[in-house]
Amino acid sequence: MAAASKLMSVRRDWRERDVRVVLAALIIAVATVATIALFAGQLQRTLVSSASSFLAADRQLEAENGREIPGEWLTEAHARGLETGRMVEFSTMVFGADNFQLVSVKAVSNEYPLRGEIEVQRQSEGPRTLVGAGPGRGEVWINPRLLRLLDLTIGESLEVGNRNLKVTGLLIREPDGGFRLSALAPRVMMHADDVPSTGVIQEGSRVEYVYLFAGSETALDDYYRWLQPQLEPSQEWEGVRDGDTFSRSLERAERFLLLGGSLAVLLAAVAVAVASRQYALSQRDTVALLKTLGVRSNGIGRLYLRRLALWGIAGAVAGLFVAVPLFWGLTRMLSELLERPVELYLDPMALAPALLTAVVSLFAFAYPPIRRLRNVPAMRVLRSQPGETGREAIPDILVAIVAVFGLVWLYAGELGLVLALLGGLLLLLGVLALFGWLLVSGLRRVRGGGNAWRLALVGLYRHRRASMSQIAVFAMTLMLAATLVLVRTSLLDDWQAQLPDDAPNHFLINISPDSVESVASFWSERGHDLDQLYPMVRGRLTELNGLPVKEAVSKDERINALNRELNLTWMSSLPADNEIVEGAWFTPGQDRGVSVEAELAGRLGLAIGDRLTFTIGSQKVTESVTSIRTVQWDSMKPNFYMAFPPGGGLTDMPATWITSFYLPEEGKPGLNEFSRQFPTISVLEIDHIIARIQQIVQQVTQAIEAILALILAAALVVMAAVVSATLRDRQREGALLRTLGGQQSLLVRSTMLEFVLLGGFAGLLGVTAAEAAVWALQFGMFDGNFGWHWQVVLPIPVISAVVLALFGRWQLGPVLSVSPMLLLRRLE
Amino acid sequence: MNQMTDFSSDQSQPMLRVDNLSHRVSLETDTLTILQGVNLEINRGESVAIVGRSGSGKTTLLGLLAGLDTPSEGTVELDGAVISHLSEDERARLRARRVGFVFQSFQLLPAMTALENVMLPLELAGIDAPEKRARDLLERVGLGERLNHTPRQLSGGEQQRVAIARAFASEPSVLFADEPTGNLDNRTGQAVSDLLMALNREQGTTLVMVTHDEQLAARCGRQFTIESGVLTEPAAVREMAD
C-alpha cells in the first residue's frame, strides 16, 4: 500500500497532462466564480453608494401625514450606528423686493446630505462648486429662476413667513433632486432650524417630513425590521432599490453578474468533467497494475479519493491566488471609470460559492469516472479489455446535473434561471441525439477519397463518439457563452432604448390652456419641438364601485396613489410606449370611460367595468374602467395613472398642461427668456439626472463587458481542454496518414474542415439553445423586450468554426513539422 | 508542390538504390552517428531482410528507405525517384502509390474498424471502390467475419493481419516491414509471416523487412546485417541467394 501511494505521488500526478487539465479547469472555476462574486459585491456597494446620493442617503423615511416621527425612532437608529438627517418640505409664498412667488421649500438639517453633494453657485457669474452641507442658519439658497422672478441679487434678503433670510447662493443641483411632479414650484433651500421661526407651518399645514438614514446594509436592514411594524400607512421607507429607472438598471446588472457567475460554474463543471474522464481513462492500466500487485478495490478507491481531495485543495488555493489580483484589476478599472477611488473590500463570504464550486465540481463530476476505476479488472494488464460504453455513466451524469443546477440555484437564487438553463440544455441534448442518429445513418455512406471534404466527413463519422462528445461540450459551452452575450446585448439595447441621447430632459408644467399655443411656438421658433402636450387635472380616487376606496381595498395594501392627489389626463390616442393589456382604447367619439395603469389596477384589484369615482376640487366624477394599460414610467415623458377620453369626465374641470422636450445644453439660455415671458410656468430640468443615469449605465456596461470577457476566456479554455483531450490520438492518426501517403495539404485541409464542421454545428446548436434559454429568461429574470438576435448570434457559429479550425491546425503542428517516422516512435 | 514529378517506374531499374547513406542526429552535447556509408541495391520483386540487434540502426534505415525521413548524407532512389530531391508532399504521393508498411506495433487507428483501417490508404490514394477492395483483402487475410471490429476487439495476430491487408491494399511496388512479428508469439508470428510472404509472392511486391528474428530473415531472398550503423551483406548468404 505504501508503495502504491508512492506510485501516486502528487508530483508524479502533475507530470500527467490530464491532471494538469483537471487542475487548470478547477483553478479557472474557482478563479472565475470568486472574481465574479467579489466584483459583483464591489460593484453593488459602489453603485449603491453612487445611487444612494439620489436619496441623499441610503434610505429615506417619508412621513406624508404632516407629523414628525417619534424621537425614539431616531435614538434607536443612532444606537444601531446609523447616521441620520432631517428634511422638511412644504410649499409657501416668498417675497422679494417687489413681488412674490409660490415656492417649494426644502429645509435641511446640518447632516444633509448624508450621501452625495449639493451643487451651488455663490455669485451670479461665479463658478459652481460641490458642497457637502446645506445653507447655514439665516441663509437660503434659491433656484436661479427664482432670482429672476423675484428680481433679487445674491446677498439680498428673501422673506419667508416671519423671517428675512439672506440669499447666499444659487441652488444648481441637489443630490436628491428626484423627478417629482409635485415639486412644481421653484426651489428654496434653507436650514431646518429656521423653520419654526418663520411661523409658516401651522397645525394642518401640508408638510412632509423626510428623515435620512445612512450606514451599513446590515444595520439598515436590521433597523427596518425593527421599524416596520410601527410604520403608519402614510410613512414610507424608501431605498434606492424601489422601482425607479436607476434601481431597475442596477437590479438587472446585478442579475447579469449572477447569471455570469452561474454560467462560470457550469462551464467549470463541464471542463472538470471532460478532463477527469480523460484522466480516468488514462489511469486504467495503472489501476490494473496496482491490482496485480495486490491492492484491493477499496484501497484503490481511497487512493484516488485522497488524490482528488489534494487536487481540490491545490485548485482552490491556486484559484484564489488568481482571483484576487483579477478582482483588484477590475476594481481599479472601476475606480478609473468613476474617476474616484474605490475602496477595495475583500469579502470572505464572497469566496464561499467559489470553494463550493470546487467541491461540487470535483465530487459530482470528477469523482464518478474515477470511482469506476475500482472496477477495472486486473486482467487488463495481460489483455486489453473493452472500454466503457458510456451507458454506466448515465446515472452519474444525472446526479451531476442535479448537483450543478442545485449549485446554480444556490448561487443565483433564481429558480427561473435554473429552469431556463436546464431547458436550454435539454433541448440541446435532444437535438444532439437527433444529430447523432443522422450522423450515423447519413455519413455511413460517405466514402473518403483524395478529397478533403470527403475525408473530413468520413473523419466525423469514424470519430463519431469523440465527435459527439466534443459537439456536446462545445455546444454547451457556446450555449452558455451565447446566453451571456444575448442577455448583455438585450440589456444594453434596452438601456439605450430607454434613454436615447435625445430623451426629453426638460418638463414644462402648469401651462395654462390659453398659453399652450404660444409656449409651443416659443420653442419651435428656437428649433426645439415639444413632445405631446397633455392636460393635467389633480384629483383623488375616492370611491370604488360606490364604496369608499379605503374600505374597498384590503388594508394590507398600502397604496401610495390613494394617499395623494393623482394627475389625471385626457387623451385621444394611446402613447406609443403604453400598451393595452385588457379592454380597449377609446374609439373616436367615445366620451365615457377611464383607462387605468396596469400595476395600480392590479393592486386595487380592478377589472373592466368597475366604477371609479374621483373627487376633483368639490366635484365628483364617476367613470367605468374601459381599459387597463402598461406605462413606461422610466421613459422621461409625462405618464398618467388615469386617462380619460377627450370630452369625457374631465371636460370642464380646471386643467393645466404639461409636456416634456429635449433641450440640448446650448439651448439652455432660452430658459431664462422663457421664464420671463411665462413666469407662471414651471420648468423642471432633469438633464442632470439623465446624464447621471447614462453615466451609471455606462459604468455598469463596462463592468458587464469585463465579466463577459472573463467568461468567454473561460469558455475558450474549456474548448481547448476538450480539443487537447484527443490530441494524442489525432497526432498519431496524422502521423500514420502521412506515412500512408497523405499529403500535408490534404491533411491540413481535411482536419480543419472536420473541425469547421464540428465547430459550426456546435455553434448553431449552442446558439439555438441559448436563444431558447434567453427566451425563457426574458419572462423570468429580465423584464426587457427580447426578440430574436440573429445578427448577434449568427457570428457565433462562424467564430466557433474558425476557432476550432485553428485549434485543429494547432494540433497538427507537430505532425507536420516532424518526420512521420519520429512521430510514430514518439507516440508509440 | 511539383505536380509533374514522374513516378512512373522503369522496370529495368532497381527498385531501391542507396548510395553512401549516412544519418546523424544532434544531441545536446554531441552528434550521434546512426548510419554510416550505407550502399545498397534491391531489385524489383526481391525480398530482403535487414538483421540487427536493438539500437543497430535498422529501423532508421527502413524509415530512410521508405522516405519517412531524409538522410544527413547520401541518396536514396526509390523506384527511380531520388527521395531527398522530393518535397514532403511529393514523398507522400510516392508513398501513397508505391509504398506499403507493416509495423511492429501494428499502428491501426483505434477509432476505426478493421474495414475502415484497410480503406484508409485506398482513400488517400483516391482509388475507386475502396470498400470492395478492402473487404476482399480482409477476406484474404482470414478476417472476413471481423470487418466491423475495432482494433481493441482484435487479438495481436488479428491486428497484424489487418495491418498486412492495409499494407497491400494500394498494391504497392515495395513493402517495408518493421519487425512484423516482433509483438507476436511464435505460432501467431509464423502464421503472420506466412501470410506476408504469400501476399508478397502473389503481388510480386518488393519486400524490405527489418527484423532480429533469424528464422524470419532466412525466408527472404537476401539478408543484410547491420551493426553500429554499418550495413554488410555476408558473402555466404549472397552465394546462397545466387
Side-chain angles (χ1 to χ4, degrees):
Chain A
M1 189 73 194
S5 304
K6 207 166 183 183
L7 190 71
M8 300 202 160
S9 75
V10 178
R11 264 172 68 189
R12 185 183 292 257
D13 269 2
W14 181 246
R15 268 182 259 140
E16 288 192 53
R17 206 180 50 85
D18 296 316
V19 179
R20 288 204 301 270
V21 176
V22 175
L23 275 172
L26 260 183
I27 293 172
I28 291 165
V30 172
T32 320
V33 176
T35 309
I36 289 180
L38 283 171
F39 185 61
Q42 180 83 50
L43 191 70
Q44 196 196 325
R45 273 186 300 278
T46 309
L47 290 180
V48 165
S49 76
S50 34
S52 291
S53 55
F54 273 92
L55 291 177
D58 292 333
R59 302 285 190 282
Q60 284 190 354
L61 177 61
E62 290 179 13
E64 290 182 352
N65 53 7
R67 289 200 307 275
E68 299 207 43
I69 60 169
E72 58 263 34
W73 289 9
L74 292 175
T75 318
E76 179 67 25
H78 295 144
R80 289 171 186 266
L82 296 177
E83 293 175 71
T84 64
R86 189 173 70 105
M87 310 194 294
V88 190
E89 290 185 21
F90 54 91
S91 296
T92 188
M93 280 296 189
V94 293
F95 298 86
D98 303 315
N99 41 15
F100 54 89
Q101 173 71 38
L102 179 73
V103 298
S104 157
V105 178
K106 180 190 254 182
V108 298
S109 67
N110 287 331
E111 299 82 11
Y112 173 90
L114 295 179
R115 296 278 185 259
E117 285 165 321
I118 309 169
E119 192 173 352
V120 68
Q121 194 175 337
R122 301 292 190 164
Q123 282 135 20
S124 330
E125 304 302 326
R128 297 171 169 189
T129 50
L130 290 173
V131 294
R137 285 185 196 155
E139 297 178 17
V140 282
W141 293 346
I142 64 174
N143 182 302
R145 208 152 43 84
L146 185 63
L147 197 73
R148 289 189 296 272
L149 288 172
L150 292 179
D151 216 4
L152 284 172
T153 54
I154 292 180
E156 291 183 322
S157 285
L158 179 76
E159 205 181 312
V160 183
N162 306 328
R163 283 290 301 272
N164 272 320
L165 300 171
K166 190 175 170 192
V167 179
T168 57
L170 296 181
L171 184 64
I172 306 300
R173 184 161 56 94
E174 42 192 300
D176 51 337
F179 172 51
R180 273 187 218 159
L181 278 182
S182 53
L184 300 185
R187 173 69 91 202
V188 167
M189 185 180 279
M190 58 186 280
H191 198 285
D193 291 353
D194 289 335
V195 174
S197 58
T198 61
V200 170
I201 296 180
Q202 308 286 332
E203 190 68 33
S205 297
R206 283 194 66 177
V207 54
E208 186 174 326
Y209 291 95
V210 180
Y211 296 85
L212 307 175
F213 298 86
S216 76
E217 281 298 309
T218 2
L220 286 164
D221 289 346
D222 286 346
Y223 178 64
Y224 180 55
R225 261 193 296 280
W226 174 84
L227 184 66
Q228 196 183 18
Q230 310 175 59
L231 289 179
E232 292 174 29
S234 58
Q235 293 168 331
E236 191 163 13
W237 183 253
E238 262 193 82
V240 272
R241 318 204 132 227
D242 295 342
D244 56 36
T245 305
F246 174 74
S247 58
R248 265 200 291 275
S249 309
L250 223 178
E251 213 168 278
R252 287 193 213 168
E254 212 180 316
R255 284 175 170 198
F256 180 85
L257 288 178
L258 276 181
L259 178 70
S262 310
L263 298 191
V265 170
L266 290 180
L267 278 176
V270 171
V272 169
V274 170
S276 45
R277 182 174 158 78
Q278 205 56 35
Y279 172 74
L281 289 178
S282 76
Q283 285 298 296
R284 288 182 303 178
D285 289 338
T286 312
V287 169
L289 182 69
L290 285 175
K291 282 193 169 176
T292 321
L293 296 175
V295 183
R296 279 171 301 174
S297 293
N298 280 344
I300 287 174
R302 274 200 301 279
L303 271 178
Y304 280 96
L305 198 62
R306 197 181 324 151
R307 194 171 223 184
L308 219 56
L310 267 177
W311 297 351
I313 294 165
V317 170
L320 294 184
F321 269 106
V322 174
V324 171
L326 258 178
F327 161 63
W328 184 74
L330 281 174
T331 305
R332 269 188 62 123
M333 191 192 83
L334 183 70
S335 157
E336 271 165 36
L337 275 173
L338 295 175
E339 292 171 351
R340 66 183 168 86
V342 171
E343 198 189 336
L344 197 72
Y345 180 69
L346 221 142
D347 180 7
M349 280 315 288
L351 301 179
L355 298 180
L356 199 62
T357 302
V359 173
V360 172
S361 309
L362 270 184
F363 286 91
F365 287 85
Y367 184 56
I370 288 174
R371 191 196 61 214
R372 279 198 301 278
L373 280 175
R374 297 158 44 126
N375 309 331
V376 170
M379 183 62 189
R380 192 185 160 84
V381 172
L382 299 178
R383 196 173 198 286
S384 172
Q385 300 282 320
E388 295 184 341
T389 59
R391 233 169 251 137
E392 62 281 346
I394 290 174
D396 294 340
I397 291 172
L398 293 178
V399 169
I401 286 177
V402 170
V404 78
F405 280 100
L407 195 62
V408 171
W409 190 4
L410 200 72
Y411 187 58
E414 297 270 356
L415 189 61
L417 170 70
V418 176
L419 292 180
L421 289 178
L422 196 63
L425 213 62
L426 287 179
L427 177 83
L428 191 147
L429 291 177
V431 177
L432 204 63
L434 184 73
F435 173 72
W437 179 78
L438 285 175
L439 185 78
V440 171
S441 55
L443 290 184
R444 196 190 324 230
R445 283 178 204 92
V446 178
R447 288 296 165 219
N451 174 317
W453 266 106
R454 288 172 67 186
L455 266 184
L457 288 173
V458 167
L460 264 185
Y461 173 71
R462 290 187 183 155
H463 305 128
R464 55 194 171 274
R465 275 184 67 176
S467 303
M468 290 297 289
S469 55
Q470 287 189 343
I471 289 178
V473 174
F474 294 152
M476 235 184 285
T477 307
L478 289 169
M479 169 196 149
L480 299 179
T483 305
L484 209 59
V485 170
L486 282 180
V487 171
R488 161 204 161 265
T489 309
S490 303
L491 214 55
L492 300 192
D493 285 355
D494 225 42
W495 283 337
Q496 207 55 46
Q498 224 172 61
L499 284 180
D501 288 339
D502 57 353
N505 57 1
H506 287 76
F507 275 78
L508 300 180
I509 302 156
N510 213 17
I511 307 171
S512 62
D514 52 345
S515 54
V516 165
E517 267 174 41
S518 46
V519 166
S521 58
F522 177 92
W523 288 111
S524 64
E525 276 164 22
R526 284 159 183 78
H528 310 296
D529 286 327
L530 301 182
D531 286 356
Q532 168 98 44
L533 278 135
Y534 295 99
M536 198 166 89
V537 175
R538 308 266 300 171
R540 275 174 194 273
L541 176 62
T542 45
E543 286 171 31
L544 181 54
N545 290 327
L547 281 174
V549 74
K550 294 203 171 165
E551 285 172 33
V553 176
S554 116
K555 285 221 163 45
D556 297 342
E557 290 282 359
R558 291 197 297 116
I559 301 169
N560 245 342
L562 299 183
N563 293 328
R564 57 183 165 85
E565 285 194 316
L566 297 174
N567 295 315
L568 316 174
T569 193
W570 70 82
M571 46 173 105
S572 53
S573 55
L574 186 69
D577 53 5
N578 286 199
E579 205 179 308
I580 298 287
V581 289
E582 229 180 291
W585 186 247
F586 311 119
T587 51
Q590 180 181 346
D591 58 3
R592 299 306 304 265
V594 60
S595 174
V596 187
E597 188 267 339
E599 212 170 302
L600 180 65
R603 295 177 71 175
L604 292 173
L606 295 182
I608 300 294
D610 279 344
R611 278 176 302 114
L612 304 181
T613 303
F614 298 90
T615 304
I616 299 163
S618 56
Q619 289 172 278
K620 282 193 174 186
V621 174
T622 302
E623 289 290 351
S624 301
V625 177
T626 50
S627 67
I628 292 174
R629 78 206 134 81
T630 57
V631 166
Q632 292 290 317
W633 290 113
D634 42 17
S635 66
M636 299 294 165
K637 290 177 181 165
N639 283 305
F640 300 91
Y641 281 120
M642 305 287 173
F644 293 71
L650 295 186
T651 319
D652 303 331
M653 295 292 167
T656 58
W657 294 68
I658 177 173
T659 188
S660 61
F661 70 114
Y662 172 70
L663 184 64
E665 188 62 35
E666 61 270 19
K668 280 278 204 184
L671 284 177
N672 291 340
E673 207 183 319
F674 182 78
S675 296
R676 269 196 298 278
Q677 204 169 322
F678 303 95
T680 56
I681 295 176
S682 297
V683 181
L684 198 61
E685 300 169 46
I686 57 164
D687 45 345
H688 290 297
I689 300 177
I690 290 186
R692 190 74 184 286
I693 293 174
Q694 276 166 339
Q695 186 202 351
I696 286 171
V697 163
Q698 214 178 345
Q699 291 162 12
V700 175
T701 306
Q702 301 269 2
I704 281 174
E705 302 284 3
I707 297 289
L708 183 67
L710 207 66
I711 299 277
L712 290 183
L716 214 59
V717 173
V718 170
M719 288 169 80
V722 173
V723 172
S724 72
T726 56
L727 185 69
R728 223 182 130 80
D729 288 345
R730 287 212 173 251
Q731 290 189 344
R732 197 161 154 248
E733 189 174 325
L736 196 67
L737 282 172
R738 271 186 70 195
T739 307
L740 296 179
Q743 295 180 29
Q744 290 197 347
S745 53
L746 181 70
L747 211 60
V748 169
R749 268 181 293 140
S750 68
T751 307
M752 286 179 81
L753 272 174
E754 195 181 328
F755 275 100
V756 161
L757 290 172
L758 260 175
F761 184 74
L764 265 180
L765 208 59
V767 155
T768 311
E771 282 279 17
V774 170
W775 178 77
L777 278 178
Q778 68 171 307
F779 294 113
M781 280 185 86
F782 303 94
D783 49 346
N785 293 317
F786 285 73
W788 292 89
H789 309 84
W790 292 112
Q791 73 286 9
V792 181
V793 298
L794 273 185
I796 289 178
V798 177
I799 292 170
S800 109
V802 170
V803 167
L804 278 188
L806 292 176
F807 270 138
R809 178 65 185 79
W810 163 72
Q811 280 199 334
L812 274 184
V815 178
L816 300 179
S817 60
V818 177
S819 87
M821 187 78 189
L822 196 65
L823 199 68
L824 278 178
R825 269 197 207 170
R826 222 188 260 167
L827 294 170
E828 237 166 48
Chain B
M1 184 170 54
N2 183 1
Q3 294 289 345
M4 302 306 289
T5 310
D6 184 12
F7 291 142
S8 63
S9 49
D10 176 352
Q11 298 298 320
S12 65
Q13 275 190 341
M15 176 54 80
L16 258 170
R17 182 186 289 148
V18 177
D19 190 20
N20 198 25
L21 182 82
S22 293
H23 196 61
R24 287 178 285 273
V25 288
S26 303
L27 301 178
E28 269 173 37
T29 46
D30 58 339
T31 309
L32 186 70
T33 303
I34 298 175
L35 294 170
Q36 208 173 5
V38 174
N39 289 292
L40 177 68
E41 216 173 86
I42 299 171
N43 292 318
R44 285 168 199 286
E46 264 192 300
S47 62
V48 171
I50 298 169
V51 189
R53 283 199 300 259
S54 291
S56 57
K58 54 186 190 299
T59 301
T60 305
L61 177 60
L62 190 83
L64 291 172
L65 296 183
L68 291 178
D69 210 343
T70 47
S72 311
E73 242 170 68
T75 55
V76 176
E77 206 179 307
L78 177 70
D79 208 1
V82 181
I83 284 178
S84 41
H85 292 175
L86 300 180
S87 72
E88 172 55 42
D89 272 351
E90 285 163 347
R91 290 205 301 273
R93 291 213 298 150
L94 181 67
R95 286 198 295 271
R97 300 200 183 163
R98 302 261 185 269
V99 180
F101 288 96
V102 176
F103 301 95
Q104 177 175 5
S105 52
F106 323 137
Q107 298 286 10
L108 298 177
L109 290 177
M112 297 188 188
T113 61
L115 184 66
E116 288 166 347
N117 265 292
V118 178
M119 282 162 61
L120 199 59
L122 296 169
E123 290 168 350
L124 285 172
I127 292 170
D128 285 340
E131 188 171 339
K132 165 90 174 60
R133 172 135 182 86
R135 273 176 194 279
D136 291 348
L137 269 166
L138 281 166
E139 300 264 0
R140 174 68 187 82
V141 301
L143 292 174
E145 303 295 308
R146 316 205 60 175
L147 299 176
N148 292 319
H149 289 211
T150 57
R152 195 183 275 157
Q153 296 163 317
L154 300 171
S155 70
E158 287 166 337
Q159 288 188 47
Q160 194 61 305
R161 282 194 272 158
V162 174
I164 289 171
R166 179 180 67 187
F168 283 102
S170 53
E171 299 181 338
S173 319
V174 55
L175 184 81
F176 292 96
D178 182 15
E179 302 272 15
T181 59
N183 275 359
L184 303 172
D185 62 79
N186 273 344
R187 247 180 81 188
T188 315
Q190 185 70 34
V192 163
S193 57
D194 286 351
L195 182 67
L196 188 62
M197 291 300 181
L199 275 168
N200 195 43
R201 266 194 311 277
E202 282 169 27
Q203 297 205 359
T205 314
T206 309
L207 174 68
V208 182
M209 186 196 300
V210 155
T211 181
H212 61 263
D213 179 348
E214 305 269 344
Q215 258 186 317
L216 181 58
R219 300 181 71 172
C220 294
R222 291 162 73 192
Q223 287 112 46
F224 291 83
T225 308
I226 188 165
E227 204 175 326
S228 304
V230 180
L231 187 76
T232 49
E233 186 178 10
V237 179
R238 192 165 50 217
E239 276 162 23
M240 265 173 64
D242 291 341

